[in-house]
Amino acid sequence: MFSPYSHSGFFNAPVSKGFLGTVVVASFALNVPFQNYCRHLFLYSYAGIFEKFEIWRIITSKVAFLDTKDLICGTLLIYYFRIFERKYGSTKFASYLIATCTLSTALELLAKTACEYITLNIGDLPSGPYGFIFPLFVPYFCDIPRVAMTHILGIPVTGKSFMYILGLQIASTSPESIIVGVCGILSGLLYRLDLGKIQGWFKVPTRLANVAAKTLGWLLRSPPPMNQSGMGATLEIQRQQQMERMEQQLARARQRDFRNRGIQIGRPQPMNPEIFANNFQNHIRELRNRQPPPADPVPGPSGLQATPAAVPEEQVTRLTEMGFERDNALQALRATNNDINLAMNILLQDSAS
């Protein structure tokens, strides 16, 4: 799914770039040169927090992965989830990370306290930015379209399956990691449902965001993406899905037509299923063989030819401001009849591939 030639990179995703860079540098430092010096300061120690009042551990335990396997899986997830920064904007994305991580940490400590109260033998929770990563699976499940690629033993495998496998790999390491994963997903659900107006509690001030952009912007800024193709497969899948929806609508329309004919006659007549099936198949064949109206083809970025369509310029501008190429934005809008939400999902799915 991940390609070294990805055309999106970290363009318009400075928060994700800084987050990923900080996690990678800190994790390598704690696992190689400083392993015997300050690694203990980053442990998520329940006794240290509540018995020794080392409150700072709540923050340091979220800085770096102390497990190499989780580091690899976690960095892949952080890199993929940068698509939400483009969709929400850097300020809103940073607010989401802060809010959900705070909620996740509170739920983790409550769960650990409950285990201690019922004398359940649970060790210290794993250290790492799990509270930032697991909540992002909620918008990933709800907002990213599900496109089936193949089936294995009857189970559909989609373009989203790899991300779920990475998340399960991290969460299934130990009972403690399961607690962290469940708390992270619950915090994402609470934020999405906005229970108790949670979304209004944690917002990065606009002034602080402007200061960060002026001071750290030069370091986290990424160049615009190069003009590369890559939308062919995604657009072809969308066209196939649209054809299937049209076939379903046609079947329902013809069924209504037969029912209406029976009502108009005044006496329902038995319907010959063979006649209905033949008529339906003939109509489907005509639909598939129907040619588009003649027009001068315009080559798209992936080598496909698309018929020019009137695309609102403000929708194109909105998509290009999110980091997508203008040609890809135009092609996605034309393929979706200027439905900007569906076009955005196509572009997000393509940029993550």
Side-chain angles (χ1 to χ4, degrees):
M1 176 172 293
F2 293 97
S3 171
Y5 305 104
S6 176
H7 60 271
S8 53
F10 285 102
F11 181 64
N12 279 352
V15 174
S16 299
K17 184 178 182 180
F19 179 34
L20 180 60
T22 301
V23 170
V24 170
V25 172
S27 299
F28 274 108
L30 292 176
N31 283 282
V32 183
F34 302 106
Q35 183 175 6
N36 299 324
Y37 298 97
C38 57
R39 182 186 175 97
H40 63 282
L41 299 177
F42 293 82
L43 294 176
Y44 199 173
S45 174
Y46 179 84
I49 295 173
F50 288 97
E51 296 178 8
K52 299 180 181 179
F53 300 102
E54 297 173 343
I55 308 300
W56 47 266
R57 287 188 180 273
I58 297 177
I59 299 177
T60 58
S61 62
K62 305 295 182 182
V63 174
F65 291 104
L66 300 184
D67 184 90
T68 305
K69 173 183 64 66
D70 290 353
L71 171 61
I72 296 174
C73 297
T75 51
L76 289 175
L77 289 171
I78 294 172
Y79 177 77
Y80 182 93
F81 286 150
R82 77 198 187 283
I83 60 178
F84 294 113
E85 183 173 0
R86 294 200 184 97
K87 185 172 183 179
Y88 302 147
S90 297
T91 303
K92 186 176 180 180
F93 181 70
S95 301
Y96 180 88
L97 293 181
I98 295 173
T100 53
C101 184
T102 302
L103 291 172
S104 179
T105 302
L107 292 174
E108 291 166 7
L109 295 176
L110 286 175
K112 176 64 176 177
T113 302
C115 292
E116 292 289 332
Y117 181 78
I118 62 176
T119 64
L120 185 62
N121 188 17
I122 295 294
D124 287 336
L125 300 179
S127 299
Y130 305 98
F132 294 102
I133 296 175
F134 281 105
L136 289 170
F137 276 101
V138 175
Y140 179 68
F141 176 81
C142 298
D143 298 337
I144 301 300
R146 175 182 177 273
V147 180
M149 300 298 182
T150 185
H151 290 75
I152 299 178
L153 299 178
I155 301 175
V157 177
T158 70
K160 303 170 63 175
S161 300
F162 183 59
M163 297 299 106
Y164 292 133
I165 293 174
L166 290 178
L168 287 174
Q169 182 66 26
I170 296 176
S172 61
T173 303
S174 63
E176 293 80 11
S177 62
I178 294 176
I179 293 176
V180 171
V182 172
C183 291
I185 294 175
L186 286 177
S187 67
L189 287 173
L190 291 175
Y191 186 89
R192 187 176 184 87
L193 297 175
D194 196 19
L195 296 179
K197 304 297 180 181
I198 295 175
Q199 297 181 12
W201 298 357
F202 305 91
K203 284 188 176 180
V204 176
T206 305
R207 182 175 299 178
L208 178 61
N210 293 334
V211 172
K214 293 178 180 179
T215 55
L216 300 176
W218 64 273
L219 180 62
L220 301 178
R221 189 178 298 113
S222 299
M226 298 179 61
N227 187 17
Q228 297 180 5
S229 62
M231 292 186 58
T234 304
L235 290 179
E236 190 62 31
I237 292 172
Q238 296 293 332
R239 291 192 184 98
Q240 182 64 28
Q241 291 180 334
Q242 186 175 11
M243 179 64 71
E244 294 175 356
R245 288 194 295 268
M246 292 174 64
E247 292 178 357
Q248 294 173 0
Q249 293 174 1
L250 177 61
R252 289 193 292 268
R254 291 190 67 84
Q255 290 175 356
R256 287 195 299 268
D257 183 56
F258 274 102
R259 287 196 298 267
N260 292 335
R261 289 180 183 179
I263 294 173
Q264 291 174 359
I265 292 175
R267 180 180 179 183
Q269 301 294 327
M271 189 193 321
N272 190 335
E274 295 182 358
I275 297 177
F276 176 78
N278 292 334
N279 292 336
F280 177 71
Q281 292 297 332
N282 292 334
H283 203 92
I284 293 297
R285 193 177 299 109
E286 293 175 2
L287 178 63
R288 287 179 170 172
N289 295 333
R290 187 177 301 168
Q291 299 295 329
D296 295 331
V298 177
S302 60
L304 297 175
Q305 291 185 343
T307 302
V311 179
E313 185 62 29
E314 59 272 13
Q315 294 186 2
V316 179
T317 303
R318 181 179 173 186
L319 292 176
T320 54
E321 287 177 350
M322 293 177 62
F324 302 112
E325 301 174 21
R326 178 180 176 82
D327 291 341
N328 286 350
L330 286 170
Q331 188 173 359
L333 287 169
R334 288 168 181 162
T336 58
N337 294 325
N338 297 331
D339 187 332
I340 189 169
N341 292 323
L342 183 56
M344 187 184 303
N345 286 334
I346 293 176
L347 294 168
L348 288 171
Q349 186 75 11
D350 180 69
S351 66
S353 60

